[in-house]
Amino acid sequence: MALPRTTTFCPICGIKLHGRLDKIFCSDTCKSRYHRNKNDERRPVTRTIDSILHRNWKILSEHHTAIGKKKFFVSLALLSRKGFHPNYYTTSSENSQQKKYFYVYDFAWMMFSDKELMVIKLEKPK
């Protein structure tokens, strides 16, 4: 048994709804507009962090392409000049020697020395 419809009009455009009793929107366009507006409310909160994560990935990717190796070493000062922020990453883990790895999508890095990072290109994101 279907629940009675709580609204008889589309909440986006106001057109009277016809058809199924659990119908909420009059069309796919109104449904998409509703979800796009809902996502737009959250975007300002996450946009800054997302852009930093993408910039970090892009910088590491450029170095990976230039060097051409799966594992490479790069100066932290050089990365910082390009806009790399080591405090922004997608996840982290520790290896068996308690060395901490930081991940940004399909790249991992760890502090190799005070001034240098060891970066590894992963086969799949972690």
Side-chain angles (χ1 to χ4, degrees), residues 9-119:
F9 298 94
C10 175
I12 299 301
C13 67
I15 291 176
K16 188 171 181 170
L17 299 175
H18 300 283
R20 292 176 36 173
L21 293 177
D22 61 345
K23 192 172 187 179
I24 299 172
F25 304 101
C26 66
S27 66
D28 288 341
T29 302
C30 283
K31 182 178 177 182
S32 294
R33 186 173 292 143
Y34 169 80
H35 288 289
R36 188 172 43 251
N37 291 341
K38 188 176 171 185
N39 287 334
D40 284 347
E41 292 171 7
R42 285 183 257 159
R43 274 202 189 99
V45 176
T46 61
R47 183 178 291 133
T48 303
I49 294 171
D50 285 345
S51 67
I52 292 170
L53 290 172
H54 284 95
R55 185 181 320 119
N56 280 355
W57 180 87
K58 184 178 178 192
I59 292 166
L60 294 176
S61 180
E62 288 170 354
H63 280 281
H64 172 258
T65 302
I67 294 170
K69 293 183 180 179
K70 182 179 173 181
K71 178 179 173 182
F72 57 95
F73 298 87
V74 63
S75 160
L76 184 56
L78 175 63
L79 292 177
S80 293
R81 280 195 303 274
K82 292 187 173 205
F84 184 81
H85 294 278
N87 294 331
Y88 288 86
Y89 47 87
T90 54
T91 190
S92 64
S93 66
E94 284 187 4
N95 66 8
S96 57
Q97 292 111 18
Q98 272 52 49
K99 301 248 182 181
K100 194 154 190 171
Y101 279 89
F102 301 95
Y103 302 88
V104 61
Y105 308 117
D106 58 343
F107 283 98
W109 76 86
M110 66 174 275
M111 293 301 295
F112 188 72
S113 69
D114 292 344
K115 298 178 181 182
E116 195 172 41
L117 292 181
M118 178 180 75
V119 181

